[in-house]
Amino acid sequence: MELRGVEELMDLLHACRGARGTACLGGAPVDLHDHALQTAALLRRSRPADKELQVAGLVHVVGQLLRPGDPTGRADLAADAVRPLLGERVSRLVRLQREDRLHEPTPVGPAPDGPVTEDVLILRQADESARTAGLDAGVLEDWRTVLELVSARHARLGAVD
């Protein structure tokens, strides 16, 4: 599956409302919609300037909706679905965020967008914290502008390449 626009992504994220999934490998079931909002909100608080990291926190749950009941390949499926719309960095963060890849080698050193390992660890921490956060994370519509900004930035960069 390839997402063709922010509207399709918003529809997919709305479809997560009421869907139960695990926030991390072996975790207790959570509402995927609420978990995505809480993860993104925690990332917004800890890294307010890093919109791509926040968006990765928001979309990391979509693999569970796209492939329910089959944990293998969900992160890869989600990463592949968002790459054309949100770019390589968001895709890579979603792919590496999976807890069972904790000891898998991740790219180290300076990437064009900063050290990937640190970003993945921050995303994983927010994912774990969002399981018990219980914070008011707002509504999905609050994220539309951020999704549009990241998508537009990626589209401009893609046009230049």
Side-chain angles (χ1 to χ4, degrees):
M1 172 185 195
E2 182 177 304
L3 296 168
R4 295 182 300 261
V6 170
E7 197 59 42
E8 266 189 22
L9 178 56
M10 291 291 288
D11 289 345
L12 185 58
L13 290 167
H14 277 294
C16 288
R17 181 175 292 285
R20 303 293 285 176
T22 55
C24 63
L25 196 63
V30 296
D31 180 282
L32 294 177
H33 181 268
D34 293 341
H35 179 72
L37 289 173
Q38 289 178 353
T39 303
L42 289 168
L43 291 165
R44 180 181 273 171
R45 289 179 180 180
S46 66
R47 301 279 291 272
D50 194 342
K51 303 303 182 206
E52 289 179 338
L53 182 61
Q54 295 166 27
V55 165
L58 184 66
V59 303
H60 80 281
V61 300
V62 300
Q64 293 185 59
L65 191 67
L66 296 173
R67 188 174 281 172
D70 180 11
T72 58
R74 279 192 251 188
D76 294 332
L77 184 62
D80 291 342
V82 301
R83 180 185 298 109
L85 182 63
L86 302 174
E88 184 60 37
R89 180 170 179 241
V90 173
S91 175
R92 188 172 56 242
L93 289 168
V94 169
R95 186 179 315 279
L96 295 175
Q97 178 275 334
R98 272 191 15 212
E99 184 179 293
D100 63 333
R101 290 185 172 175
L102 186 59
H103 300 293
E104 198 171 284
T106 57
V108 183
D113 47 26
V116 173
T117 304
E118 179 184 347
D119 294 344
V120 170
L121 292 175
I122 289 168
L123 177 56
R124 288 176 181 167
Q125 182 180 22
D127 179 40
E128 179 67 29
S129 295
R131 288 179 1 132
T132 57
L135 64 105
D136 179 12
V139 296
L140 183 57
E141 198 58 38
D142 294 342
W143 288 94
R144 180 181 297 275
T145 302
V146 177
L147 289 168
E148 289 171 346
L149 288 170
V150 172
S151 176
R153 178 173 179 260
H154 172 69
R156 281 196 311 275
L157 292 175
V160 171
D161 291 343

